[in-house]
Amino acid sequence: MTASYTGATTLEVLSTTILFFTGALVMRGAGCTINDLWDRNLDPHVARTRLRPIARGAVAPSHAVVFTAFQLLTGLAILLQFPTSCLYYGIPSLVLVATYPLAKRITYYPQFVLGLTFSWGALMGFPALGVDLTADSTAAKAAGLLYSSCVSWTVLYDMIYAHMDIKDDAKAGIKSIALRHNNETKTVLTGLAVVQIGLLAASGIAIGAGPVFFIGSCGSAAVTLGTMIWKVKLKDVNNCWWWFKNGALLTGGGIAVGLLGEYVLQNNGNHYKAIKQELH
């Protein structure tokens, strides 16, 4: 989305995408390690998590802390490859990364906190390509809408994930949105999908996106999310896992293809305009 808005070169988009992907992989890993440290006394009571390295005693907590420090330093090294302003946007996310695991102890909506954490990259795209969100109200609006859309999406697919552990969570005293809305899960999932797609479309409107984005990204999201919500069997752990894993990939892939198509179309359009100006 940022690439279409800024008219960034293909090389800039490719290099930034690689850095984002690597950074997301590293920081997701750091988040998982931190989560396992916080939950080392809870995980043994949940069938799916009882064999995690820290929970089963294969890795000492002190060693996990050292590994986490290595992951965070690697993440910082990647962050430093972006413009300096990205530091001001990236570093605050560490508060969410470190405290998310506590949410499941105090609220039935830890998935919302997870969404705030995992979606942070949506705010980073614009400054990563040199756009100052404090000076560009259009970019700030688009970034906020995109971030909110990603939060809704994260809550949606993690609600399905939470159904895998719903029985063990209830016994262990772990809170989740699946427990709170067990009897109306598909209604909640549908509402989240509508919100996600609506916010995604609004972010496109904010930057003046064309039909390729709305059909490719928003349209594919509607189809894949609708199919997932209709097909998923919430009482079947294996089925929940399949849709959690593959549904996220299908929806994310469709959105990415739509964004890529929009960028290519606008980039070519700008290129042709530049040629015409030179000829005249």
Side-chain angles (χ1 to χ4, degrees):
M1 179 171 286
T2 310
S4 297
Y5 180 73
T6 61
T9 66
T10 302
L11 182 60
E12 288 175 326
V13 173
L14 182 60
S15 60
T16 302
T17 299
I18 292 173
L19 285 172
F20 260 84
F21 178 80
T22 306
L25 189 65
V26 170
M27 291 308 297
R28 183 182 178 89
C32 289
T33 308
I34 292 170
N35 181 75
D36 288 359
L37 278 165
W38 278 111
D39 291 352
R40 63 186 181 276
N41 295 320
L42 292 176
D43 284 345
H45 302 288
V46 179
R48 185 181 55 80
T49 60
R50 63 186 179 83
L51 295 180
R52 285 177 174 174
I54 301 175
R56 71 172 189 268
V59 175
S62 58
H63 293 166
V65 170
V66 173
F67 181 59
T68 302
F70 173 76
Q71 290 175 300
L72 293 176
L73 287 172
T74 302
L76 177 61
I78 295 171
L79 182 60
L80 291 173
Q81 306 309 306
F82 294 111
T84 304
S85 62
C86 286
L87 287 170
Y88 305 121
Y89 294 96
I91 291 178
S93 68
L94 293 177
V95 176
L96 291 171
V97 172
T99 58
Y100 153 68
L102 297 177
K104 69 188 73 172
R105 293 161 169 80
I106 60 176
T107 177
Y108 280 102
Y109 300 97
Q111 283 72 26
F112 178 70
V113 182
L114 181 69
L116 294 175
T117 307
F118 276 11
S119 304
W120 202 264
L123 297 175
M124 298 282 291
F126 286 93
L129 286 175
V131 178
D132 183 358
L133 294 180
T134 62
D136 190 328
S137 60
T138 298
K141 181 179 179 181
L145 289 166
L146 182 62
Y147 175 65
S148 301
S149 175
C150 290
V151 171
S152 183
W153 181 29
T154 303
V155 175
L156 190 160
Y157 71 73
D158 205 63
M159 187 176 188
I160 293 175
Y161 185 78
H163 269 274
M164 296 169 58
D165 303 327
I166 196 165
K167 292 181 180 178
D168 289 336
D169 283 351
K171 293 177 182 177
I174 300 172
K175 296 179 172 64
S176 77
I177 191 173
L179 276 171
R180 179 65 179 82
H181 297 283
N182 187 26
N183 295 325
E184 61 268 2
T185 292
K186 292 211 172 184
T187 300
V188 175
L189 291 175
T190 301
L192 288 167
V194 171
V195 170
Q196 183 211 337
I197 297 166
L199 290 169
L200 181 63
S203 68
I205 293 172
I207 64 165
V212 173
F213 168 76
F214 294 106
I215 296 173
S217 294
C218 301
S220 67
V223 171
T224 54
L225 290 174
T227 301
M228 178 173 67
I229 294 169
W230 175 43
K231 291 279 191 179
V232 66
K233 299 175 182 177
L234 298 171
K235 303 299 181 184
D236 185 331
V237 172
N238 292 327
N239 190 260
C240 284
W241 169 247
W242 192 94
W243 280 107
F244 167 77
K245 180 177 63 174
N246 296 291
L249 289 174
L250 289 170
T251 302
I255 292 173
V257 169
L259 287 169
L260 177 61
E262 178 69 19
Y263 168 70
V264 170
L265 190 64
Q266 291 203 17
N267 194 43
N268 286 338
N270 292 335
H271 179 65
Y272 292 140
K273 287 179 182 178
I275 292 176
K276 286 183 178 180
Q277 289 177 353
E278 289 180 4
L279 292 175
H280 289 291

